[in-house]
């Protein structure tokens, strides 16, 4: 104790010498503060400053809330570094998911000989390669190539891939279609009809490259039998099943949420899968998501009770460009209200051709209390601003952020334990509505298929994570 | 064909020193209106944006838009070879894969040519959203540098709080804590020594001092620095480059852990 006191006071004196505390408007109070047993703590400083005649009161408030987490080194709230993409609501370039993530931080000595280094850059050969947006020199990682076929899956950001005769797109999320644009000319793109419509609509890809496929229908492409299966992910998402000429079967899950129904699919029941390309987004035992239906019911329940308490509630559901439709559709049905979406989202939703959804959409925010916003805008401050525009109609906001990332081990499947994040009249519920498989669903799916080999396609950037996943796989397939 | 001549060559040297530790590689975008760069650090926490308008150059020619990928460390090595008073000319051909830096001594008795290989860097230019900020503080750049340096000897994060009256920088570490308050002060002889606070709403944000210290390497570029803050946006630290443009750093704050990682 003694030493720390000595330290305190020496620190105080040092500050003194530096002149920070003895600046003109402070010297009197500091003298006083020094009288108070050399307490250089934060309280006395704020107090001193306040008494010097400035209105610092709002900061004292701020300090209490913002400094405490720092001061209390106990296990209370910790601050973590945010990143720019999240703050700006921009999509992170997909390379952060795979190995190239490390590349930018790697100290590079300029090795003029290495024309094609793994970090995804290449020394220029000619001017037509000077294109800031071209990711062409990045090499396609092995887990996007279907071994033994001239196919790749979700590999559009690598430009022309040598030997690739068909580019498959599992579903229309940016981290999968990234690289596709109206300039695409590297080869045919195979995807489901719905995804094909989105690719045309949103990316203006030349239709002559787009080859839509029906679900559950076998196509022969380059001598390989290919079938798309429902992936239980976002609209249009598919599992892709390949049967090679030699009879071997490969299954690429794209992004999916495994479920019982998949296990009764004739194609998966009939023959074993040799290689499984697996969506391992949540391949960690801590992720045990409740069923999507349960989460939807919970959301509806909360909404109904909130609206009963305060009829002037604006309900906001966060969503990515596509996906999570069932959450707001369920609210819309339960309350008998329309769904407000902005015009670009409306175009996308209409392209699904879901009549149940179409007739519920509206483009006038004032005519319905149910609004769909980008998931990145679900912050108390932004929602407060958003509510401003509707302040004559609504007094509070009830928002849902439906994503697996909100899952907490403490809550697990007991949804009623979920505590919203409330600030004033803004209430945000993070609900574990996941369109990816939870750990046990992955396990059940793998144990059902019993593939010879599993290739994880997500979180493969770190060796430790890869090893962890492979040890889970071994465990599952041991019995 | 691209060619521009900067009499104040030291300016380019200073810019390079200010950013080379933050980002390794970057694309320099050249167009008829000027010379710009945007690059994010590897952890996606900070972003550098540089703009040098064509008017600021003694001679500026850029026939078509050109993107030149450079390793900043290497570029810095080359620019270090220029004297502080040298005139720097940058040249590149439309089809070429090299950029030439030419340094002329002020007395015109020595001319050096340095050629550097360009690289193809796959980085996408981000559309940084235009935002209004709750608080903007303008203060002497040297003062800001000193504050960041002093605070980082005590703690590793700084809480910047702004009210109408002043701006407060606080930190806390193992050995103790520190608070530095700068009050609005416009009654100074030189405008660049003023501390000016434009505040719509008080704001308080937490940042990693490591980044702040890195930003303050730009101090030689400008007498004053401005800090623009809003509670849900990255901080913008801007150094104006006289008559030419700016060097801006965007920094994501540290936020409470409950904001999930999605």
């Amino acid at each position: 104790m003694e030493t720390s006191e000595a330290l305190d006071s020496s620190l105080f004196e040092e500050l003194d010498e530096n002149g920070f505390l003895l600046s003109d408007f402070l010297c009197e109070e500091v003298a006083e503060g020094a009288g108070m047993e050399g307490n250089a703590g934060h309280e006395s400083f704020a107090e001193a400053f306040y008494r010097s005649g400035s209105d610092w009161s709002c900061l004292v408030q701020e300090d209490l809330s913002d400094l405490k987490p720092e001061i209390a080194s106990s296990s209370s709230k910790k601050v973590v570094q945010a990143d720019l993409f999240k703050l700006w609501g921009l999509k992170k370039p997909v390379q952060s998911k795979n190995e190239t993530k490390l590349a930018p931080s790697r100290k590079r000595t300029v090795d003029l000989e290495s024309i094609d280094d793994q970090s995804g850059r290449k020394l220029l050969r000619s001017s037509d390669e000077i294109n800031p947006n071209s990711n062409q020199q990045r090499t396609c990682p092995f887990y996007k190539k279907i071994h033994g076929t001239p196919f790749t899956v979700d590999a559009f950001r690598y430009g022309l891939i040598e030997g690739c005769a068909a580019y498959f797109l599992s579903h229309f999320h940016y981290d999968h279609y990234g690289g596709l644009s109206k300039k695409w000319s590297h080869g045919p793109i195979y995807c489901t009809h719905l995804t094909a419509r989105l690719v045309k609509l949103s990316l203006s890809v030349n239709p002559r490259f787009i080859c839509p496929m029906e679900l559950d229908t076998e196509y022969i492409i380059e001598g390989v039998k290919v079938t798309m299966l429902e992936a239980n992910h976002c609209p249009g998402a598919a599992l892709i099943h390949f049967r090679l000429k030699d009879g071997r079967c490969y299954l690429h899950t794209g992004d999916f949420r495994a479920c019982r129904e998949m296990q009764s699919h004739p194609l998966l029941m009939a023959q074993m899968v040799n290689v499984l390309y697996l969506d391992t987004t949540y391949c960690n035992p801590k992720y045990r998501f409740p069923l999507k239906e349960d989460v939807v019911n919970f959301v509806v329940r909360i909404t109904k009770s909130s609206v009963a308490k305060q009829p002037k509630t604006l309900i906001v559901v966060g969503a990515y460009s596509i996906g999570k439709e069932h959450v707001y559709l369920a609210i819309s049905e339960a309350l008998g209200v329309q769904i407000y979406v902005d015009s670009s989202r409306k175009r996308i939703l209409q392209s699904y051709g879901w009549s149940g959804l179409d007739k519920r959409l509206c483009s006038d925010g004032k005519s319905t209390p149910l609004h769909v916003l980008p998931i990145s805008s679900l912050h108390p401050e932004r929602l407060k601003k958003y509510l401003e525009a509707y302040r004559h109609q609504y007094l509070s906001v009830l928002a849902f952020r439906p994503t697996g990332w909100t899952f907490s081990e403490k809550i697990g499947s007991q949804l009623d334990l979920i505590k919203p994040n409330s600030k004033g009249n803004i209430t945000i519920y993070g609900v574990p509505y996941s369109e990816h498989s939870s750990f046990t669903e992955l396990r059940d799916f793998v144990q059902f298929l019993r593939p010879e080999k599993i290739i994880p396609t997500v979180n493969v950037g770190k060796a430790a994570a890869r090893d962890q996943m492979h040890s889970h796989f071994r465990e599952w397939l041991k019995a | 064909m691209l060619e521009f001549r900067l009499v104040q060559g030291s300016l380019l040297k200073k810019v390079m020193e200010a950013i080379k530790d933050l980002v390794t590689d970057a694309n320099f975008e050249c167009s008829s209106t000027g010379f710009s760069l945007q690059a994010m650090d590897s952890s996606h926490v900070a972003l550098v944006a540089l703009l040098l308008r064509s008017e600021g150059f003694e001679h500026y020619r850029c026939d078509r838009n050109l993107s030149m990928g450079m390793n900043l460390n290497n570029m810095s090595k080359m620019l270090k070879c220029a004297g502080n008073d040298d005139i720097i000319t940058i040249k590149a051909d439309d089809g070429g894969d090299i950029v030439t830096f030419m340094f002329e001594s002020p007395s015109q008795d020595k001319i050096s040519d340095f050629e550097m290989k360009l690289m193809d860097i796959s980085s996408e230019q981000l559309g940084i959203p235009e935002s209004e900020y709750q608080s903007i503080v303008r203060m002497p750049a040297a003062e800001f540098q000193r504050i960041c340096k002093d605070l980082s000897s005590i703690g590793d994060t700084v809480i910047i709080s702004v009210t109408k009256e002043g701006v407060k920088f606080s930190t806390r570490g193992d050995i103790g804590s520190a608070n530095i308050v700068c009050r609005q002060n416009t009654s100074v002889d030189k405008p660049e020594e003023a501390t000016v606070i434009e505040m719509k709403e008080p704001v308080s944000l937490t940042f990693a001092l490591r980044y702040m210290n890195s930003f303050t390497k730009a101090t030689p570029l400008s007498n004053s620095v401005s800090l623009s803050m809003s509670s849900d946006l990255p901080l913008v630290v801007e150094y104006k480059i006289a008559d030419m443009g700016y060097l801006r750093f965007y920094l994501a704050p540290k936020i409470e852990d409950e904001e999930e990682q999605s």
Side-chain angles (χ1 to χ4, degrees):
Chain A
M1 277 328 272
E2 253 176 67
T3 51
S4 87
E5 257 180 50
L7 214 97
D8 260 7
S9 66
S10 77
L11 173 75
F12 186 66
E13 274 158 30
E14 191 183 18
L15 284 174
D16 241 351
E17 282 160 15
N18 280 339
F20 288 129
L21 288 173
L22 283 181
S23 54
D24 51 0
F25 56 91
L26 271 177
C27 31
E28 280 174 39
E29 277 73 20
V30 164
E32 259 182 57
M36 287 151 65
E37 57 187 80
N39 174 6
H42 172 78
E43 285 294 330
S44 74
F45 182 82
E47 216 173 63
F49 193 89
Y50 184 65
R51 271 186 278 123
S52 76
S54 312
D55 181 9
W56 205 254
S57 49
C58 50
L59 274 193
V60 176
Q61 283 297 329
E62 292 273 4
D63 290 344
L64 287 180
S65 60
D66 285 343
L67 274 177
K68 267 216 176 115
E70 295 263 305
I71 294 166
S73 48
S74 66
S75 63
S76 62
K77 279 179 195 163
K78 274 170 67 182
V79 290
V80 292
Q81 181 65 60
D83 79 57
L84 291 169
F85 289 108
K86 192 178 161 191
L87 286 165
W88 280 325
L90 299 171
K91 296 262 192 177
K92 228 179 236 196
V94 78
Q95 82 258 32
S96 57
K97 241 184 189 181
N98 52 39
E99 311 242 15
T100 57
K101 185 175 181 182
L102 293 171
S105 62
R106 203 189 298 158
K107 274 259 175 193
R108 286 163 41 86
T109 53
V110 163
D111 174 5
L112 298 181
E113 307 309 314
S114 79
I115 295 302
D116 203 344
D117 70 359
Q118 276 297 76
S119 67
R121 277 163 299 203
K122 180 175 170 182
L123 296 165
L124 285 185
R125 307 254 79 190
S126 70
S127 67
D128 36 12
E129 283 175 310
I130 310 177
N131 174 358
N133 290 325
S134 90
N135 295 320
Q136 315 215 334
Q137 277 64 46
R138 223 178 274 160
T139 39
C140 175
F142 73 96
Y143 60 84
K144 288 179 182 273
K145 289 182 178 161
I146 303 300
H147 188 72
T149 70
F151 301 156
T152 58
V153 176
D154 299 338
F156 297 95
R157 51 178 58 250
Y158 314 98
L160 180 69
I161 297 169
E162 209 159 308
C164 180
Y167 294 79
F168 285 84
L169 174 59
S170 65
H171 66 289
F172 194 72
H173 273 159
Y174 178 76
D175 48 341
H176 296 258
Y177 70 69
L180 258 187
S181 71
K182 64 173 176 221
K183 291 187 213 138
W184 178 266
S185 62
H186 300 305
I189 301 161
Y190 290 88
C191 55
T192 61
H193 276 280
L194 201 159
T195 304
R197 285 198 293 274
L198 291 167
V199 168
K200 275 183 235 170
L201 181 75
S202 303
L203 305 177
S204 317
V205 171
N206 187 338
R208 98 187 149 89
F209 290 110
I210 304 175
C211 310
M213 294 169 70
E214 294 289 346
L215 282 181
D216 300 322
T217 308
E218 191 175 87
Y219 292 77
I220 298 179
I221 302 164
E222 303 285 325
V224 178
K225 290 175 179 163
V226 186
T227 313
M228 298 248 181
L229 282 55
E230 171 59 44
N232 192 24
H233 182 63
C234 65
L239 313 176
I240 310 171
H241 185 277
F242 302 92
R243 180 177 296 168
L244 276 61
K245 279 181 205 149
D246 62 5
R248 290 167 62 81
C249 286
Y250 293 175
L251 183 68
H252 194 295
T253 65
D255 277 355
F256 82 131
R257 180 150 184 188
C259 59
R260 288 258 158 222
E261 290 77 69
M262 283 177 191
Q263 304 191 7
S264 55
H265 196 283
L267 207 54
L268 300 183
M269 282 173 75
Q271 198 187 355
M272 87 168 282
V273 164
N274 300 82
V275 181
L276 175 63
Y277 294 76
L278 188 63
D279 162 23
T280 45
T281 305
Y282 294 110
C283 188
N284 181 324
K286 75 177 182 189
Y287 292 111
R288 290 167 286 115
F289 303 126
L291 292 174
K292 288 200 278 190
E293 294 74 24
D294 292 347
V295 180
V296 167
N297 289 339
F298 171 75
V299 166
V300 168
R301 205 158 64 235
I302 294 287
T303 310
K304 278 184 171 167
S305 71
S306 301
V307 173
K309 266 185 238 151
Q310 169 55 273
K312 292 186 168 183
T313 299
L314 180 65
I315 303 147
V316 173
V317 178
Y320 302 111
S321 61
I322 70 170
K324 322 288 184 194
E325 290 78 9
H326 293 287
V327 179
Y328 47 85
L329 198 53
I331 299 177
S332 162
E333 279 163 3
L335 300 187
V337 297
Q338 299 280 99
I339 305 164
Y340 166 69
V341 292
D342 67 18
S343 56
S344 66
R345 187 185 296 275
K346 192 170 180 190
R347 269 181 354 134
I348 289 173
L349 294 180
Q350 282 172 335
S351 77
Y352 296 176
W354 294 359
S355 59
L357 180 62
D358 274 359
K359 60 174 193 259
R360 294 194 168 268
L361 298 179
C362 82
S363 20
D364 176 15
K366 292 208 159 55
S367 66
T368 172
L370 175 58
H371 292 198
V372 178
L373 295 181
I375 205 157
S376 57
S377 61
L378 265 66
H379 283 275
E381 294 295 328
R382 286 198 207 169
L383 288 175
K384 209 168 169 179
K385 257 180 229 157
Y386 189 76
L387 179 62
E388 238 346 72
Y390 297 97
R391 63 178 183 277
H392 300 301
Q393 278 177 287
Y394 305 108
L395 298 173
S396 62
V397 172
L398 171 67
F400 294 99
R401 177 199 282 274
T403 155
W405 295 115
T406 64
F407 175 80
S408 118
E409 278 178 273
K410 255 186 266 164
I411 287 162
S413 298
Q414 294 164 279
L415 292 165
D416 290 317
L417 297 181
I418 294 178
K419 287 220 180 64
N421 174 4
S422 294
K423 271 192 188 154
N425 51 354
I426 312 289
T427 306
I428 304 178
Y429 276 88
V431 290
Y433 182 89
S434 176
E435 293 183 329
H436 292 273
S437 318
S438 68
F439 185 75
T440 49
E441 287 161 343
L442 278 181
R443 184 194 62 203
D444 293 350
F445 188 71
V446 167
Q447 287 180 339
F448 160 72
L449 283 181
R450 307 202 68 81
E452 284 171 359
K453 186 178 160 110
I454 302 175
I455 298 176
T457 59
V458 182
N459 298 329
V460 292
K462 284 197 190 118
R466 280 195 305 268
D467 292 347
Q468 187 65 48
M469 286 192 279
H470 281 293
S471 78
H472 289 311
F473 300 157
R474 274 195 300 276
E475 184 68 25
W476 294 343
L477 294 173
K478 210 160 52 180
Chain B
M1 172 74 182
L2 170 153
E3 183 173 307
F4 31 89
R5 183 176 154 94
L6 187 60
V7 178
Q8 247 192 304
S10 60
L11 205 143
L12 215 51
K13 289 165 66 99
K14 288 174 189 166
V15 167
M16 227 17 72
E17 287 313 297
I19 63 178
K20 75 173 165 58
D21 294 331
L22 201 61
V23 287
T24 331
D25 308 304
N27 280 319
F28 285 82
E29 308 291 338
C30 311
S31 72
S32 55
T33 55
F35 182 70
S36 69
L37 167 154
Q38 192 197 81
M40 205 177 271
D41 87 304
S42 57
S43 52
H44 303 153
V45 168
L47 182 140
V48 183
L50 166 74
L51 174 69
L52 297 176
R53 287 186 210 95
S54 53
E55 304 92 88
F57 293 87
E58 190 202 28
H59 164 73
Y60 189 100
R61 174 179 167 193
C62 179
D63 298 340
R64 65 177 66 177
N65 292 357
L66 197 61
S67 169
M68 297 191 291
M70 302 196 208
N71 176 294
L72 298 185
N73 253 318
N74 296 336
M75 183 173 174
S76 161
K77 275 182 202 161
M78 297 208 166
L79 290 178
K80 272 196 180 136
C81 304
N84 274 334
D85 304 323
D86 283 3
I87 297 165
I88 298 184
T89 305
I90 298 181
K91 285 187 282 196
D93 286 327
D94 286 342
D97 58 356
I98 55 162
V99 59
T100 307
F101 302 109
M102 190 173 85
F103 311 137
E104 296 166 56
S105 70
S107 47
Q108 301 278 308
D109 51 8
K110 179 176 137 201
I111 292 183
S112 336
D113 264 322
F114 285 76
E115 285 189 349
M116 190 175 86
K117 294 247 181 194
L118 294 175
M119 26 186 359
D120 188 6
I121 297 163
S122 51
S123 77
E124 285 162 43
Q125 289 276 308
L126 291 175
I128 299 171
E130 287 282 326
S131 320
E132 289 227 340
Y133 289 89
Q134 291 166 347
S135 293
I136 300 174
V137 177
R138 189 160 60 75
M139 64 190 295
E143 183 72 73
F144 177 63
Q145 183 179 37
R146 174 73 195 265
I147 289 170
C148 293
K149 183 170 146 274
D150 287 339
L151 292 187
S152 58
S153 62
I154 314 249
D156 51 15
T157 58
V158 56
I159 299 172
I160 308 183
S161 313
V162 186
T163 70
K164 265 201 174 60
E165 316 295 330
V167 52
K168 174 160 69 168
F169 302 87
S170 326
T171 192
R172 185 163 283 266
D174 295 338
I175 61 163
S177 67
N179 290 289
I180 299 174
V181 176
C182 299
R183 285 224 291 190
Q184 165 128 307
N185 174 16
T186 48
S187 58
V188 287
D189 299 339
K190 297 179 198 152
E192 65 264 25
E193 283 169 8
T195 299
V196 184
I197 292 164
E198 289 169 42
M199 189 208 76
K200 294 195 190 99
E201 276 176 67
V203 59
S204 182
L205 287 167
T206 306
F207 300 101
L209 274 166
R210 188 164 64 85
Y211 285 99
M212 298 292 234
N213 271 323
S214 172
F215 301 164
T216 59
K217 290 189 182 136
T219 305
L221 281 171
S222 182
N223 287 320
S224 71
V225 61
S226 75
L227 314 175
S228 307
M229 293 192 282
S230 270
S231 47
D232 51 359
L233 285 173
L235 160 79
V236 189
V237 178
E238 177 176 291
Y239 293 87
K240 284 236 183 310
I241 300 172
D243 306 327
M244 290 199 79
Y246 56 74
L247 180 59
R248 283 184 193 152
F249 299 96
Y250 293 81
L251 177 62
K254 292 191 162 196
I255 54 174
E256 279 173 19
D257 208 359
E258 63 184 1
E259 303 280 349
E260 36 93 41
Q261 69 275 43
S262 159

